[in-house]
Amino acid sequence: MSTNNKGLRRRSVLASAIGALCLSTVGAQAQQAPLKIGVLTDLSSLYADVTGNGSISAVQMAIEDFTAGRKIRPIEVISADHLNKADVAAATAREWIDRDGVDVIVDVPNSAVALAVGNIVRDKNKVMLASGPSSSDLTGKSCSPNTIHWTYDTYSLATGTASAVVQSGGKSWFTLTADYAFGHAMEQDVKNVVTKMGGQVVGGVRTPLNTQDFASFLLQAQASKAQVIGLINAGGDTINSIKQAVEFGITSGGQRLVATVLYINDVHALGLPVVQGLQFTEAFYWDLNDQTRAWSKRFADRNGGRRPSALQAGAYASVLHYLRATEAAEGSADGKVVVEKMKALPTDDPLFGKGSIRIDGRKLHDMYLFEVKKPEESKQPWDYYHVRKVIPAAQVWRPLEEGGCSLVKS
């Protein structure tokens, strides 16, 4: 893996032994040409724990599971660090497709990055599997016939978490929002849900991405006297803001801290004494059932004992379905054709179960309202959550007609 002077950009080729596609109807020449997957991720910053090398491992596992016992068409996996910069990500995507012949780009955490890469992929008629970003614009005003949005989005997270909090008495909100595409989309979704349910957002502040010191922002939230402080951030920003809010005595002062995005890696980093009782919405938890436990054990064996985040689970499941669709499309290199096949085929994997993909590219599956356990309730490493509610797919995702996607006929 190499690093250039533009900043920690990495690239690795993981070929030959990784796996193969069995495309019996494709000619000998196509059989020899490798299918190329690019994992464009965060390897060095605030989302590295929840995506990064874990997402690369998850993609490898998807290839291995799909190709087990099959004849071999080589699959190459390359990876790069997008540095959370849309211009770096767009340039990488363009180079991958034009020079390296990449067929599909996976993961792309950071919504601004995903929106930029989505434009490149659409122009080049390849495929983007957006398992890492969350902006609901990816299936709304910025939807694309070349993009599948897999794991979650701002609408589903806001619907699950904000609804539960308002129903339990949290009527007045102050939002602390990461100042980029994800934060803006989530902020609007939260406001819509809170207002619809009879609550009110009394104020808010936007914070730079990858903020280390949240003191001034949290003091504004504290001074607002809002019942709820909604943390509209993710990864390292969520960890830092929760930790500093506890240090400032905000939660002990009676205000309720709500994380709109929380990953198991964040809970692990903070510890149960800090985040116990926190409720949030998520798409996946390693300890849901026998299938999720078995897969997560395999993942942990490759990743130093760490359990997978929902985003890493999404990378696995989206690639597995992509490979099935590619086979059904007889190895087509036409991105739109493969995405259409992904939408036509029902989804089924050990992590998200059975589901489907809508015309706007939105992957549909149930979501969960989790509550972080008290320290004395945890019986083993990574045993962190209670499942408080299963939120059916029909209730948690934005109605198709409300997204403004150009692919949806009026």
Side-chain angles (χ1 to χ4, degrees):
M1 193 172 287
S2 62
T3 305
N4 64 23
N5 293 330
K6 293 181 179 179
L8 297 176
R9 207 175 123 203
R10 304 189 201 181
R11 179 179 172 175
S12 60
V13 178
L14 309 165
S16 60
I18 292 178
L21 290 172
C22 177
L23 304 176
S24 59
T25 60
V26 181
Q29 183 178 358
Q31 286 279 353
Q32 296 174 357
L35 181 100
K36 293 193 176 183
I37 300 174
V39 185
L40 191 54
T41 189
D42 182 347
L43 290 164
S44 59
S45 190
L46 74 168
Y47 303 131
D49 281 348
V50 297
T51 57
N53 286 315
S55 289
I56 297 170
S57 292
V59 170
Q60 294 173 18
M61 291 171 68
I63 296 168
E64 291 168 5
D65 289 349
F66 181 75
T67 61
R70 294 172 175 262
K71 293 181 180 180
I72 291 177
R73 175 192 175 187
I75 299 177
E76 293 183 7
V77 179
I78 64 177
S79 64
D81 188 342
H82 59 46
L83 306 178
N84 288 291
K85 296 180 179 179
D87 57 342
V88 171
T92 302
R94 187 177 291 108
E95 179 181 293
W96 275 358
I97 294 169
D98 290 345
R99 190 188 71 183
D100 299 324
V102 165
D103 297 284
V104 55
I105 296 177
V106 185
D107 204 21
V108 284
N110 184 313
S111 294
V113 163
L115 291 166
V117 172
N119 290 333
I120 302 298
V121 168
R122 181 172 187 164
D123 291 345
K124 304 291 185 179
N125 194 22
K126 296 301 180 181
V127 178
M128 182 173 76
L129 304 179
S131 53
S134 60
S135 174
S136 54
D137 287 347
L138 286 163
T139 55
K141 64 183 182 181
S142 299
C143 71
S144 164
N146 298 78
T147 291
I148 300 294
H149 197 185
W150 194 272
T151 314
Y152 63 170
D153 63 21
T154 52
Y155 183 96
S156 65
L157 297 180
T159 299
T161 304
S163 295
V165 172
V166 176
Q167 286 173 349
S168 65
K171 298 288 188 179
S172 63
W173 286 59
F174 184 97
T175 56
L176 194 150
T177 303
D179 192 12
Y180 76 108
F182 144 72
H184 302 166
M186 177 72 87
E187 182 182 74
Q188 188 58 54
D189 286 334
V190 167
K191 286 181 178 178
N192 291 343
V193 173
V194 170
T195 302
K196 183 178 180 180
M197 298 193 66
Q200 182 182 9
V201 178
V202 299
V205 63
R206 291 183 172 177
T207 68
L209 186 66
N210 210 10
T211 296
Q212 300 302 310
D213 185 0
F214 282 90
S216 64
F217 309 121
L218 288 168
L219 289 174
Q220 291 180 61
Q222 189 175 42
S224 74
K225 305 298 183 182
Q227 295 170 299
V228 177
I229 300 174
L231 302 179
I232 303 177
N233 50 23
D237 283 346
T238 302
I239 291 172
N240 287 334
S241 55
I242 291 176
K243 187 182 298 183
Q244 291 170 36
V246 172
E247 291 172 354
F248 294 159
I250 288 176
T251 51
S252 61
Q255 287 177 297
R256 185 173 177 180
L257 208 61
V258 171
T260 54
V261 180
L262 192 70
Y263 306 111
I264 194 167
N265 314 67
D266 305 334
V267 175
H268 186 74
L270 288 163
L272 295 183
V274 174
V275 289
Q276 60 182 313
L278 198 67
Q279 290 189 339
F280 62 99
T281 303
E282 187 59 288
F284 170 84
Y285 175 46
W286 72 270
D287 201 19
L288 286 173
N289 54 53
D290 288 343
Q291 287 186 306
T292 59
R293 283 188 284 272
W295 186 89
S296 298
K297 173 64 167 58
R298 289 173 54 206
F299 179 93
D301 289 344
R302 299 167 180 240
N303 290 276
R306 299 175 68 83
R307 295 301 188 269
S309 72
L311 304 188
Q312 290 157 348
Y316 168 87
S318 60
V319 169
L320 185 63
H321 189 64
Y322 167 82
L323 294 176
R324 290 171 178 161
T326 303
E327 179 181 55
E330 300 183 342
S332 175
D334 186 316
K336 291 180 182 178
V337 169
V338 176
V339 168
E340 287 174 1
K341 188 62 68 174
M342 291 184 74
K343 294 175 182 177
L345 294 174
T347 63
D348 190 5
D349 63 79
L351 308 187
F352 296 87
K354 298 181 184 298
S356 61
I357 300 174
R358 291 193 314 205
I359 189 174
D360 60 352
R362 175 69 262 160
K363 164 63 167 59
L364 304 178
H365 47 254
D366 294 345
M367 297 284 281
Y368 302 88
L369 181 67
F370 293 119
E371 182 177 306
V372 179
K373 291 182 175 182
K374 298 175 182 177
E376 62 270 21
E377 294 173 326
S378 179
K379 305 304 181 185
Q380 60 177 310
W382 300 87
D383 174 24
Y384 294 155
Y385 300 163
H386 293 296
V387 179
R388 291 308 186 202
K389 183 179 181 180
V390 178
I391 312 173
Q395 297 178 14
V396 75
W397 303 106
R398 180 177 58 202
L400 188 61
E401 65 276 8
E402 294 181 9
C405 174
S406 60
L407 301 175
V408 180
K409 296 180 180 179
S410 57

